[in-house]
């Protein structure tokens, strides 16, 4: 009889550590079946448990009690009941109840309403279930409750009294009130992180009491869409929570007064995320003056501040490393100049929809921010083909670049990046087509008002379709269209990223592992051939690049054996030959998307399924060449598969029963 060397040589603590390093849940479950010792040790190794809609008859309360007895070392618990709501009463929310779920009765109404309410109550976590979480998981440090609508103040208080070691609490869509939050402040002596979103029952009273109770420990606070939380709460936080280093606010109620109080009272603040429509330059100036340790600043949808606020940030926040600006229409190139000169340690910059920021601002970044490692530019129409030349010259440590709908950037900019940023590891470019602009003088509304939209910027194909649609409705329009195009100053922006730019990336950026070129219709096979020769890709997305065919994907299959993620959807010229090469050359593939590929059949599809044993996700909708037989082969062959997206009619009853947990159907009913 062969000696059991593992059990005889390895002590319990080492086996537990090995189990903790296993990522796959199925593999860990398999370990439990080896022997009784492994069964017990694997239970001890679990530190995180997630509860969601199980699809069975067991309620969350029952599952919590069961798991708390089995897994005694759990430190993190996540309970997400959003799916229960969407599946039971789509689009409707239950009224707020402040009594304990065990004592409270549901509101009277129709029989239909009552049955739905009781179904939700049976499945959802109640006050007694939350108390069981506190009592059963003695080592709990992090709890996340997502849309646990049956939990009230009574349950939260009971939990807080039992769970003294809690460090992080995430509450989203829960209907408790001020008493519950105050109890957390009184009992959870080690609480450091509190996040609240859509907590409609909370008011300033609860958060003020928590700030008083946790003045020494609270380090991170997030408040989002809580309509009754105002400046009063932030003034209490600024007065008492001197250790606060992270603040995230999403509110239509909070004004300058609250944020100024936090800036003055929390000098250790390092992370500030704001989406507050009433914040102005005054608040940002206070942040720049008092928050000298700030490292991350994220500003979303601001309409009441300008470059003056960013000047204060650049002048005071010398340690700033991450800057995200989204839909801030009153910012110009000057704001980037102020920040670039004043914050030389910047490493991550994201600019999204800031329409007054253009090429000059990017050149300031390239000149001053030599440590920049990540740059994301989304919907920036004022950037021209020279915009990235400064980045290529000055930011040689750049590792990630993302471009979305930046129609002025072309091959010259990409070549500048390729030659200057040789450490590039990630390149994402999305939507690469000609963009058509109506001049401001053109009376577009007069002609297109029947379609309930005013077209200011559309793609050239969209414009052609619109003209055809208008011609069907207006005979006079078809006679005048050519006159109008000639009379007014129409112009097109040609998104010029093509093979030349991507070939330069392949020739110079040898560390590139993640390449995404979505709907870039000037990129073809030559670009992928160059990339396959110079880079070892792990992730590739070329969806919608209609010039790419078998030759480009075959080159990737032969040159990138480490490829694990591939999206080739909407490639009309891709066939079985490329799929067979992928099966032979890329055995590590895990996630594949081939939707809308009409030339791929069961032959090529089956080859990939059989040759790639690590497959976990496969999307195959709108592929007429792939039949029910091909889907059957995938379900029966891929032991690690977690998700299959396919049309319902391609799945027979037997396969549907066998793959019920992994098969997802294309939703066409909505």
């Amino acid at each position: 009889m062969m000696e059991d060397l593992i059990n005889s040589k390895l002590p319990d603590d080492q086996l537990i550590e090995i189990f903790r390093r296993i990522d796959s849940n199925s593999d860990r479950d398999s370990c439990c079946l080896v022997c009784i010792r492994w069964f017990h040790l694997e239970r001890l190794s679990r530190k995180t448990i997630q509860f969601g809609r199980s699809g069975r008859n067991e309620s969350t309360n029952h599952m919590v009690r069961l798991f708390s007895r089995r897994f005694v070392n759990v430190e993190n618990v996540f309970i997400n009941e959003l799916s229960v709501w969407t599946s039971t009463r789509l689009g409707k929310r239950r009224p707020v109840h402040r009594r304990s779920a065990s004592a409270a009765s549901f509101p009277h109404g129709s029989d239909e309403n009552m049955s739905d309410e009781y179904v939700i109550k049976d499945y959802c976590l109640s006050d007694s279930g939350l108390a069981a979480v506190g009592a059963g998981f003695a080592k709990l440090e992090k709890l996340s409750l997502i849309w646990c609508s049956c939990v009230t103040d009574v349950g939260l208080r009971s939990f807080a009294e039992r769970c003294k070691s809690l460090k992080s609490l995430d509450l989203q869509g829960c209907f408790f009130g001020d008493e519950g939050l105050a109890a957390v402040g009184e009992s959870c002596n080690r609480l450091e992180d509190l996040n609240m979103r859509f907590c409609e029952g909370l008011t300033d009273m609860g958060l003020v009491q928590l700030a008083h109770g946790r003045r020494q420990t609270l380090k991170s606070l997030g408040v989002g869409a809580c309509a009754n939380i105002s400046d009063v709460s932030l003034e209490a936080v600024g007065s008492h929570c001197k250790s606060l280093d992270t603040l995230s606010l999403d509110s239509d109620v909070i004004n300058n007064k609250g944020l100024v109080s936090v800036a003055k009272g929390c000098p250790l603040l390092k992370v500030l995320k704001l989406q507050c429509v009433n914040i102005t330059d005054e608040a940002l100036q206070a942040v720049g003056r008092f928050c000298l340790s700030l490292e991350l600043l994220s500003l979303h949808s601001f309409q009441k501040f300008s470059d003056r606020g960013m000047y204060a940030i650049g002048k005071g926040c010398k340690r700033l490393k991450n800057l995200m600006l989204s839909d801030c229409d009153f910012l110009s190139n000057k704001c980037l100049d102020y920040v670039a000169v004043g914050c030389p340690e910047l490493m991550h910059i994201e600019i999204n929809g800031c329409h007054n920021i253009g090429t000059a601002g990017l050149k300031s970044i390239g000149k001053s921010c030599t440590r920049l490692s990540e740059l994301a530019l989304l919907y920036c129409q004022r950037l021209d083909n020279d915009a990235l030349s400064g980045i290529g010259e000055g930011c040689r440590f750049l590792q990630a670049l993302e471009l979305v709908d930046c129609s002025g950037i072309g091959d010259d900019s990409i070549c500048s990046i390729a030659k200057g940023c040789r450490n590039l590891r990630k390149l994402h470019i999305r939507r690469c087509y000609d963009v058509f602009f109506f001049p401001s003088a053109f009376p577009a509304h007069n002609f297109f008002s029947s379609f309930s939209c005013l077209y200011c910027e559309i793609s050239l194909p969209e414009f052609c379709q619109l003209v055809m649609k208008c011609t069907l409705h207006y005979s006079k329009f078809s006679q005048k269209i050519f006159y109008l195009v000639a009379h007014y100053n129409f112009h097109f922006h040609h998104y010029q990223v093509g093979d030349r730019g991507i070939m330069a990336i392949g020739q110079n950026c040898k560390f590139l592992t993640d390449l995404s070129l979505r709907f870039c219709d000037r990129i073809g096979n030559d670009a992928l051939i160059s990339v396959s020769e110079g880079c070892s890709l792990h992730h590739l997305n070329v969806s919608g690049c209609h010039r790419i065919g078998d030759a480009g994907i075959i080159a990737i299959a032969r040159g990138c054996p480490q490829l694990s993620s591939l999206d080739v959807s909407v490639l009309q010229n891709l066939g079985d030959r490329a799929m067979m090469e992928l099966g032979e050359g890329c055995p590590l593939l895990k996630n594949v998307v081939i939707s809308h590929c009409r030339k791929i059949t069961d032959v090529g599809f089956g080859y990939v399924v059989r040759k790639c044993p690590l497959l976990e996700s496969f999307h195959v909708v709108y592929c007429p060449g792939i039949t029910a037989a091909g889907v059957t082969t995938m379900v029966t062959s891929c032991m690690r598969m977690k998700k299959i997206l396919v049309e319902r009619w391609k799945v027979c009853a037997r396969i549907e029963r066998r793959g019920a947990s992994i098969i997802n159907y294309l939703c066409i009913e909505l």
Side-chain angles (χ1 to χ4, degrees):
M1 183 175 181
M2 186 177 295
E3 183 181 0
D4 186 353
L5 294 178
I6 295 180
N7 281 325
S8 62
K9 300 295 183 181
L10 291 181
D12 289 352
D13 56 344
Q14 292 186 8
L15 271 177
I16 290 174
E17 185 60 30
I18 291 173
F19 291 147
R20 285 175 177 167
R21 294 174 182 268
I22 299 176
D23 295 329
S24 172
N25 288 332
S26 60
D27 289 344
R28 298 188 68 165
D29 292 339
S30 298
C31 291
C32 295
L33 304 177
V34 172
C35 62
I36 296 296
R37 183 193 181 204
W38 284 30
F39 178 78
H40 292 296
L41 292 181
E42 197 281 330
R43 286 184 172 186
L44 296 177
S45 71
R46 299 265 182 169
K47 287 191 173 183
T48 300
I49 290 183
Q50 298 183 16
F51 296 95
R53 187 183 175 211
S54 65
R56 305 189 185 104
N57 292 325
E58 294 92 341
S59 68
T60 304
N61 292 336
H62 174 71
M63 299 300 293
V64 164
R65 295 186 181 95
L66 181 64
F67 278 61
S68 63
R69 292 195 297 267
R70 292 185 178 180
F71 305 105
V72 297
N73 289 330
V74 166
E75 297 177 358
N76 309 307
V77 173
F78 301 88
I79 303 177
N80 186 346
E81 296 185 340
L82 180 60
S83 60
V84 176
W85 285 103
T86 55
S87 64
T88 309
R89 294 298 297 268
L90 183 62
K92 296 184 179 181
R93 299 180 62 180
R94 187 174 67 84
V96 181
H97 298 286
R98 296 295 166 221
R99 291 175 290 170
S100 170
S102 60
S105 60
F106 287 94
H108 297 289
S110 65
D111 293 339
E112 179 185 358
N113 291 339
M114 290 295 292
S115 62
D116 285 340
E117 297 288 357
Y118 281 113
V119 167
I120 292 174
K121 180 180 177 181
D122 290 340
Y123 277 95
C124 287
L125 182 74
S126 67
D127 287 338
S128 60
L130 186 57
V133 172
F137 298 110
K139 299 181 180 181
L140 187 65
E141 295 184 356
K142 183 175 182 178
L143 174 65
S144 179
L145 300 178
I146 309 299
W147 294 95
C148 297
S149 57
C150 292
V151 172
T152 67
D153 288 335
V154 175
L156 199 57
R157 175 178 287 278
S158 179
F159 165 80
E161 291 172 350
R162 289 172 169 82
C163 196
K164 304 290 186 179
S165 60
L166 190 71
K167 293 183 178 180
S168 176
L169 180 60
D170 186 1
L171 305 169
Q172 178 174 321
C174 298
F175 294 104
F176 60 88
D178 295 330
E179 294 180 7
L181 192 60
V184 171
E186 293 172 3
S187 303
C188 299
N189 300 322
R190 300 175 62 187
L191 186 68
E192 298 178 356
D193 181 9
L194 176 64
N195 185 38
M196 302 175 295
R197 290 187 64 84
F198 300 105
C199 297
E200 299 175 354
L202 286 180
T203 68
D204 288 324
M205 183 183 298
L207 190 51
V208 167
Q209 290 179 340
L210 183 133
H212 279 278
R214 297 276 56 82
R215 65 177 66 194
Q216 300 296 332
T217 62
L218 192 64
K219 295 181 179 180
S220 176
L221 175 63
V223 178
C226 298
N228 298 316
I229 300 295
S230 67
D231 291 332
V232 174
S233 295
L234 291 188
E235 288 177 325
V237 171
S239 299
H240 302 288
C241 303
K242 303 299 181 181
S243 300
L244 193 73
D245 61 23
T246 300
L247 177 63
S248 176
L249 297 176
D250 179 0
S251 173
D252 295 337
V253 180
I254 293 173
N255 297 290
N256 288 335
K257 187 177 181 181
L259 186 57
V260 170
S261 298
V262 172
K264 291 181 178 180
C266 305
L268 301 180
L269 198 66
K270 293 182 179 180
V271 177
L272 181 59
K273 300 178 181 180
L274 299 175
Q275 186 169 348
C276 305
V277 295
N278 294 319
I279 297 294
T280 68
D281 285 329
E282 178 187 350
L284 287 184
Q285 288 170 345
V287 171
R289 188 179 304 117
F290 298 105
C291 302
L292 305 184
S293 299
L294 195 68
E295 296 181 359
L296 185 149
L297 178 62
S298 178
L299 304 175
H300 296 264
S301 303
F302 276 74
Q303 304 298 327
K304 294 185 178 181
F305 79 93
S306 63
D307 294 334
R308 287 185 301 161
M310 298 306 297
Y311 172 78
I313 297 296
K315 186 177 180 180
C317 304
K318 302 297 182 181
R319 300 180 183 178
L320 193 68
K321 293 181 173 63
N322 299 274
L323 176 64
M324 284 153 279
L325 304 173
S326 178
D327 297 321
C328 300
D329 293 336
F330 290 98
L331 295 182
S332 69
N333 291 322
K334 290 183 179 180
C335 87
L336 287 189
D337 186 47
Y338 295 149
V339 173
V341 173
C343 309
E345 296 185 11
L346 271 173
M347 300 180 65
H348 174 92
I349 296 177
E350 178 179 324
I351 302 173
N352 184 349
C354 300
H355 301 299
N356 290 318
I357 293 179
T359 300
L362 265 289
K363 289 191 173 182
S364 297
I365 295 294
K367 183 178 179 180
S368 302
C369 301
T370 57
R371 300 183 184 182
L372 191 69
S373 62
E374 297 182 26
L375 176 63
L377 303 172
L378 297 83
Y379 310 103
C380 298
Q381 299 297 338
R382 290 185 177 269
L383 300 179
D384 59 30
N385 203 16
D386 193 40
L388 297 181
S389 60
I391 302 295
E393 293 173 0
C395 305
R396 60 189 182 93
F397 296 109
L398 189 72
Q399 295 185 12
L401 175 63
E402 181 178 4
L403 303 172
V404 177
D405 281 7
C406 298
S407 57
I409 292 178
D411 281 336
D412 291 342
S413 283
I414 302 301
C415 288
S416 298
I417 294 294
K419 295 176 181 178
C421 308
R422 296 178 180 266
N423 291 313
L424 195 69
R425 286 167 167 77
K426 174 182 175 181
L427 176 62
H428 285 195
I429 303 175
R430 194 181 79 184
R431 288 185 66 180
C432 184
Y433 52 64
D434 298 331
V435 178
F436 176 81
F437 290 87
F438 284 110
S440 58
F442 178 67
H445 183 68
N446 295 336
F447 292 94
F448 304 138
S449 58
S450 297
F451 304 102
S452 303
C453 58
L454 175 59
Y455 289 85
C456 297
E457 173 188 338
I458 58 176
S459 68
L460 184 57
E462 290 171 340
F463 174 71
C464 294
Q465 293 178 4
L466 182 63
V467 170
M468 294 175 63
K469 189 174 183 180
C470 292
T471 303
L472 295 176
H473 289 79
Y474 302 103
S475 59
K476 293 183 179 180
F477 181 84
S478 61
Q479 299 172 8
K480 293 182 178 180
I481 185 63
F482 295 105
Y483 164 76
L484 289 170
V485 171
H487 181 73
Y488 291 94
N489 184 28
F490 288 91
H491 58 284
F492 297 86
H493 276 187
H494 300 282
Y495 201 116
Q496 300 172 10
V497 176
D499 285 343
R500 183 165 65 91
I502 305 304
M503 290 172 67
I505 293 291
Q507 294 166 4
N508 295 280
C509 302
K510 304 300 182 181
F511 299 103
L512 189 73
T513 59
D514 187 348
L515 178 62
S516 178
L517 307 168
R518 298 178 59 191
F519 296 94
C520 299
D521 58 6
R522 297 190 63 210
I523 293 175
N525 292 323
D526 291 342
L528 290 193
I529 292 172
S530 178
V531 168
S532 68
E533 294 173 351
C535 312
S536 181
L537 294 181
H538 294 179
H539 308 279
L540 175 64
N541 186 336
V542 289
S543 59
C545 300
H546 62 84
R547 295 190 181 185
I548 293 177
D550 284 346
I553 300 302
I554 288 174
I556 293 294
R558 295 175 178 176
C560 303
Q562 301 296 318
L563 196 68
S564 64
S565 176
L566 175 67
D567 188 340
V568 292
S569 54
V570 205
L571 297 191
Q572 303 299 327
N573 297 319
L574 194 67
D576 289 336
R577 194 161 63 93
M579 298 300 291
M580 296 173 71
E581 289 282 351
L582 285 170
E584 290 290 347
C586 303
L588 302 182
L589 275 174
K590 292 184 178 181
N591 305 296
V592 180
V593 181
I594 60 172
S595 300
H596 296 271
C597 293
R598 298 184 174 277
K599 292 186 177 181
I600 296 177
T601 68
D602 286 341
V603 177
F605 174 66
Y607 207 88
V608 171
V609 167
R610 289 189 295 271
K611 293 289 186 176
C612 301
L614 302 181
L615 280 172
E616 296 179 355
S617 173
F618 220 125
H619 292 199
V620 291
V621 295
Y622 295 120
C623 298
I626 297 177
T627 66
V631 175
T632 299
T633 300
M634 176 168 55
V635 174
T636 56
S637 302
C638 300
M639 297 296 102
R640 294 175 176 265
M641 189 64 69
K642 298 178 180 179
K643 180 180 179 181
I644 299 171
L645 184 63
V646 66
E647 295 94 334
R648 182 181 293 272
W649 62 271
K650 292 184 180 180
V651 182
C652 65
R654 179 177 64 86
I655 295 300
E656 186 173 22
R657 289 193 299 270
R658 177 168 180 170
S661 62
I662 63 174
I663 297 177
N664 295 263
Y665 298 112
L666 181 67
C667 183
I668 59 175
E669 290 86 1
L670 295 180

